[in-house]
Amino acid sequence: MSERHTALRSMHDLGLAAWFGGSLMGAFGVNGGAARINDSTQRLPVASAGWAKWTPVNAAAIGAHLAGAVGELVTESPRVAAQAGVGRASSVKTALTVSALAVTGYSRLLGMKLEKAGNPPVDGTTEPNHSTPSNVASVQRQMKVLQWAVPALTGALIVVTAYMGEQQKPGQVLRGMLGRAGTLGSMKGIGKMAMTGMTGRKMAMSGR
């Protein structure tokens, strides 16, 4: 548990930072900046071009994060089993990661649809106007929600990661291991009491 895994931690943290930061900048910067273009028919193409340029970088960041996360999970598996609370935090982190991946992937599919839409008049990347085709407007309304869902989920991942980092402090590790040992001891004690009770009942019945 005292071994260092700097490369894995760096991949995990840098990948997650780029994933979170890129999605937040995209929502504020790319989408927000495109909405300021005077020509309403150029707002969507400009934003789509920006997101398309970012996609390969984002994919590499996500890949690095996942590789680091899996590597950390493998190297920390003894502590996950021995320290109370670590397994629960790992489950929460996994659920957030899967959700963030799903939302990111679906957002990209919607983004590709907007890229192929051409240059319809819009108020913004995620804001249609009265002249926007209905199929494009439908995709934009979905993107308006999803553009904030990705930074929200990845931001939550950063918080959980920070919490799990606190769990690695020596005092937290000791308390967690003692807590796990106490839980197991309690379960064994309950099982022993149950077995003793059953034995006593059998003896009483035999005495009758």
Side-chain angles (χ1 to χ4, degrees), residues 32-65:
R36 293 179 174 272
I37 297 175
N38 291 328
D39 187 348
S40 64
T41 63
Q42 291 302 308
R43 292 167 184 163
L44 197 55
V46 168
S48 295
W51 281 110
K53 290 286 287 184
W54 170 248
T55 295
V57 179
N58 194 44
I62 293 173
H65 169 68

Side-chain angles (χ1 to χ4, degrees), residues 107-132:
S107 295
R108 184 55 194 149
L109 290 177
L110 294 178
M112 292 172 66
K113 290 183 179 180
L114 293 179
E115 287 178 24
K116 297 176 181 178
N119 54 350
V122 296
D123 284 344
T125 308
T126 60
E127 294 80 25
N129 60 31
H130 63 279
S131 300
T132 306

Side-chain angles (χ1 to χ4, degrees), residues 72-200:
E72 282 194 345
L73 183 61
V74 172
T75 57
E76 294 290 333
S77 56
R79 193 169 61 84
V80 172
Q83 184 180 347
V86 178
R88 182 168 59 251
S90 296
S91 297
V92 172
K93 184 178 178 181
T94 299
L96 285 171
T97 302
V98 172
S99 299
L101 283 170
V103 173
T104 300
Y106 186 58
S107 295
R108 184 55 194 149
L109 290 177
L110 294 178
M112 292 172 66
K113 290 183 179 180
L114 293 179
E115 287 178 24
K116 297 176 181 178
N119 54 350
V122 296
D123 284 344
T125 308
T126 60
E127 294 80 25
N129 60 31
H130 63 279
S131 300
T132 306
S134 59
N135 61 321
V136 176
S138 175
V139 175
Q140 285 184 289
R141 293 188 186 98
Q142 293 182 68
M143 287 292 288
K144 189 169 186 176
V145 176
L146 296 180
Q147 69 174 341
W148 303 114
V150 176
L153 289 167
T154 51
L157 268 173
I158 292 174
V159 173
V160 172
T161 298
Y163 174 76
M164 294 182 71
E166 293 294 308
Q167 288 182 316
Q168 295 182 19
K169 290 183 176 180
Q172 292 292 321
V173 173
L174 179 60
R175 279 192 289 272
M177 289 185 171
L178 290 176
R180 176 61 59 83
T183 300
L184 293 175
S186 298
M187 292 176 65
K188 290 180 179 179
I190 292 172
K192 185 175 181 179
M193 290 173 63
M195 291 298 294
T196 301
M198 291 176 63
T199 303

